[in-house]
Amino acid sequence: MLRLVKMEETYIPQLFEMMEEWTQAGEEIIPWAIHKCDYRDTAKYIASLEVKEDDGKYVPDSTFFCLDTERNIFVGAVNIRHRLSESLLRDGGHIGDGIRPSERGKGMGTQMVGLALAECDKLGIRNVLMCCNKDNIASAKTIRRNGGILENEIVEDGAVVQRYWIRRA
């Protein structure tokens, strides 16, 4: 069973294992919020995962890790932006998500985004924007499986970005 958890000291071993796997795979770690500072400096790292106030650079956000409770491992993470800046409206969206390499292709992303959407409900976000690169077919499928409707495609830094809206009741 999957559930979203906030980072705390008790989850440091799961964090290290996931981040080391991602690093060894030589892939970009997504969402950016989970690697914007060094995870080995745990106090600073935990503090960095929550932006409480709009500081002109970042909007308020919350970062959650997706815990597989049966195996006691992190399978991925989500970052939920509580509102959209101009930049996030263009090509970032409300939810940034990533699944660690060994857990991809198992439906974890679809479940994790579903859990993130429930968190958006708690925040009162009824129209959720999610974006992904057009060549990231797995991410696009995850978004569509959670009700995403493609609004348009834009070109950002030479890449085609798909913008999906998920309407919540």
Side-chain angles (χ1 to χ4, degrees):
M1 182 171 139
L2 299 182
R3 70 182 179 102
L4 296 183
V5 297
K6 297 274 185 124
M7 178 52 64
E8 52 189 56
E9 290 286 334
T10 57
Y11 294 124
I12 295 300
Q14 291 90 336
L15 173 70
F16 275 53
E17 179 193 28
M18 180 180 76
M19 297 299 270
E20 288 167 12
E21 176 186 320
W22 233 315
T23 301
Q24 288 174 1
E27 296 183 10
E28 180 182 7
I29 298 171
I30 299 173
W32 176 80
I34 69 168
H35 74 95
K36 66 183 174 185
C37 73
D38 187 351
Y39 65 92
R40 291 171 290 255
D41 182 349
T42 56
K44 182 179 177 187
Y45 182 78
I46 291 171
S48 80
L49 294 173
E50 202 85 23
V51 175
K52 302 273 189 215
E53 294 181 23
D54 191 334
D55 64 4
K57 186 175 181 184
Y58 301 112
V59 300
D61 71 4
S62 302
T63 302
F64 297 89
F65 292 82
C66 189
L67 178 68
D68 178 327
T69 58
E70 292 165 10
R71 295 182 292 159
N72 195 31
I73 65 166
F74 283 164
V75 298
V78 294
N79 176 252
I80 301 171
R81 279 76 75 158
H82 300 184
R83 70 169 193 78
L84 297 178
S85 64
E86 203 172 299
S87 171
L88 290 170
L89 179 60
R90 186 178 59 256
D91 69 346
H94 287 97
I95 300 173
D97 66 295
I99 296 290
R100 69 192 280 175
S102 66
E103 296 300 318
R104 294 181 191 147
K106 301 176 183 178
M108 303 285 184
T110 299
Q111 291 179 63
M112 185 174 69
V113 168
L115 294 169
L117 289 168
E119 293 297 327
C120 288
D121 290 344
K122 294 176 190 175
L123 292 166
I125 304 169
R126 298 291 174 238
N127 294 312
V128 178
L129 176 65
M130 289 191 73
C131 302
C132 67
N133 285 353
K134 185 174 184 170
D135 62 0
N136 189 341
I137 294 164
S139 187
K141 283 182 181 178
T142 293
I143 295 167
R144 287 194 304 270
R145 286 182 183 135
N146 278 285
I149 305 295
L150 180 66
E151 178 180 66
N152 63 358
E153 296 179 346
I154 63 169
V155 177
E156 189 66 33
D157 297 327
V160 177
V161 176
Q162 295 182 320
R163 299 175 68 254
Y164 291 86
W165 286 97
I166 302 170
R167 312 272 183 223
R168 306 292 287 171

